[in-house]
Amino acid sequence: MTDRIFAELKPDGLDELAEDGYRRRRSDDLARAFATPRVRRRSRWPLLMVASAAAAGLAAATVVVASGETPAPKTPSPAVAAKPLTARSFLLAAASTAMREPAESGRYWYLRERTFAKVHNVPGDYEAKLNALLKAQKDKEAGLKGAPERLAAAKKEFDRKVVELKTNGVAELPYTAFSADTRETWRPMKAGETGRSVSNQDVEVTFGSPQDEADWRAAGSPELAEKKPKTYDDATERILSIDNPSLNLRNLDDLPTGEDALRRRLDDLWKRSPNSADIGKAGYLWQTAVDLMTAPLKPGTRSALFRVLADQPSVTLEGKTSDALGRTGVALSTPTARELTVRLVVDEQSAELLQYELSEKGKLLLRVALEDMGWSDELGRRPAG
């Protein structure tokens, strides 16, 4: 399940493939805060207040008048303020907030993520085995030129070997260690243009206990994370979601802006997903929602997505919490298949996704904090403001 989250990052280059393989082996959380909170656009009223008003039928809290002005909401009475919130009312309030956001565009879609995860293996051991596979595959492909069917079969076998290596090809660490690192990506809107990925930024490694660190030292203090930043430029087409290989930056605008139409489209995409049999419909919907929330959706589509999520069963509103970067948001969680749980932390004022998590049987597998996202008109430049 965790492999799906980073599978879309897999490129053709040797160094990037090795790095991606390492990232895709991560599974647990490092519950520490790093980096600086991003500056976000703020809506005028927090979602918790809007949700309370919506639950009480105070339409003035969320209606936008024709002039584009947002009228001041009525002050909820004590009885209204005390009305308990639900996940549904919060998500519907988020839908109203998302609809008010202005539509924007640019040359590159920028995303900065901070990933917290458990280190399973010594990266050098894994990369050595992966590089050996890559060399053997390169030699084999050189001897199969002019034989397309045999070449295709060889590539398929290579992919199988890489998956096997990622799954159980390197021994697990005998001690508990965690890593955190930051990755930035610039994805071009125009097909064929070069994009950029800058990884291994601000890398930190910690241990589960003093004894774990002592065991690491006794094992020779191997490097558990590559700490040198890497910049990788290429023009490879990137899908937005491993569960939806047909989606990319250029066809996102084709997604419906109506709730019913978007629900039907997502149902259709789920049926055609290469992973639908493995993850189930609920798992597909919430992972796809994460992928879409970190993409440049139209305000109408983002609003419709929140409304679709509001209709899903078993969603729990956990209340206010802090994400891994110390920012305050509202947590919602939902169980999916195989005792997995997806947890989102949403900014209560802007309805933007701050963080997503995946856990299994109550044990955190992955945490990704979204430090920043937005449009940039220059490769390597972050969004203004």
Side-chain angles (χ1 to χ4, degrees):
M1 180 72 175
T2 55
D3 282 356
R4 295 169 42 254
I5 297 176
F6 293 107
E8 67 181 273
L9 302 175
K10 179 180 176 181
D12 295 329
L14 174 91
D15 292 338
E16 187 73 353
L17 178 58
E19 175 205 18
D20 174 60
Y22 168 48
R23 291 178 66 87
R24 289 168 62 181
R25 296 185 65 81
R26 299 170 174 181
S27 66
D28 283 327
D29 165 68
L30 170 59
R32 290 185 59 187
F34 301 92
T36 303
R38 62 171 287 196
V39 177
R40 292 175 169 265
R41 295 190 304 272
R42 295 292 183 181
S43 297
R44 190 170 299 176
W45 298 98
L47 281 181
L48 288 176
M49 180 182 294
V50 176
S52 296
L58 299 179
T62 57
V63 172
V64 180
V65 297
S67 65
E69 298 281 331
T70 303
K74 299 177 183 178
T75 302
S77 67
V80 170
K83 188 177 182 65
L85 298 176
T86 64
R88 176 177 172 78
S89 62
F90 180 84
L91 288 167
L92 290 178
S96 296
T97 298
M99 182 63 80
R100 293 198 299 269
E101 291 296 325
E104 299 176 346
S105 62
R107 186 176 177 184
Y108 299 95
W109 178 248
Y110 170 84
L111 184 63
R112 181 180 177 92
E113 302 169 291
R114 184 75 173 167
T115 299
F116 304 79
K118 182 180 179 181
V119 181
H120 286 279
N121 318 98
V122 175
D125 295 345
Y126 171 77
E127 291 179 8
K129 292 187 176 184
L130 179 62
N131 289 339
L133 282 178
L134 287 165
K135 184 180 184 304
Q137 179 67 12
K138 184 177 180 180
D139 293 342
K140 182 177 293 186
E141 289 182 3
L144 293 177
K145 289 182 178 180
E149 291 185 359
R150 294 177 62 194
L151 182 60
K155 289 182 177 180
K156 185 175 181 179
E157 176 63 12
F158 170 73
D159 288 341
R160 186 195 65 77
K161 289 180 179 179
V162 170
V163 170
E164 182 179 349
L165 175 63
K166 293 177 189 297
T167 304
N168 51 26
V170 184
E172 287 277 327
L173 294 178
Y175 45 83
T176 301
F178 303 90
S179 71
D181 73 297
T182 297
R183 170 181 289 243
E184 295 178 280
T185 55
W186 286 261
R187 292 187 173 183
M189 280 295 294
K190 186 177 179 181
E193 281 200 345
T194 296
R196 175 170 296 173
S197 170
V198 183
S199 58
N200 293 347
Q201 299 182 75
D202 305 319
V203 177
E204 296 206 24
V205 174
T206 59
F207 296 90
S209 68
Q211 185 59 52
D212 286 316
E213 185 170 5
D215 292 343
W216 168 72
R217 294 186 186 281
S221 304
E223 285 292 339
L224 299 181
E226 186 174 356
K227 297 184 177 181
K228 182 178 179 181
K230 285 185 177 181
T231 299
Y232 186 82
D233 290 2
D234 77 336
T236 303
E237 177 69 35
R238 304 291 186 191
I239 60 174
L240 287 175
S241 168
I242 194 64
D243 291 331
N244 303 284
S246 63
L247 293 181
N248 57 52
L249 285 180
R250 284 169 295 286
N251 61 24
L252 274 182
D253 281 352
D254 296 336
L255 291 176
T257 57
E259 177 186 347
D260 291 340
L262 181 61
R263 182 183 292 105
R264 289 193 297 269
R265 181 65 196 282
L266 291 173
D267 284 345
D268 180 61
L269 287 171
W270 172 67
K271 292 173 184 177
R272 295 191 283 121
S273 171
N275 304 306
S276 60
D278 297 326
I279 62 175
K281 191 172 182 179
Y284 163 83
L285 178 61
W286 285 92
Q287 179 57 44
T288 297
V290 168
D291 295 333
L292 293 178
M293 287 181 188
T294 58
L297 287 182
K298 292 183 298 186
T301 303
R302 189 177 298 274
S303 177
L305 179 61
F306 277 119
R307 293 182 183 279
V308 170
L309 295 178
D311 286 339
Q312 303 307 306
S314 304
V315 184
T316 299
L317 180 71
E318 299 182 5
K320 287 190 176 183
T321 188
S322 295
D323 71 359
L325 303 181
R327 301 168 299 185
T328 300
V330 174
L332 302 105
S333 62
T334 184
T336 63
R338 297 181 301 177
E339 300 187 72
L340 295 169
T341 298
V342 175
R343 185 173 186 261
L344 308 182
V345 179
V346 179
D347 189 303
E348 65 175 294
Q349 295 184 348
S350 67
E352 292 181 338
L353 182 64
L354 298 178
Q355 179 172 284
Y356 61 91
E357 303 171 3
L358 185 69
S359 60
E360 182 178 24
K361 298 180 181 179
K363 183 177 181 181
L364 202 58
L365 300 177
L366 182 73
R367 171 176 288 162
V368 180
L370 304 162
E371 290 192 50
D372 197 9
M373 67 181 81
W375 291 106
S376 174
D377 287 324
E378 182 178 336
L379 190 64
R381 176 173 291 181
R382 298 172 183 174

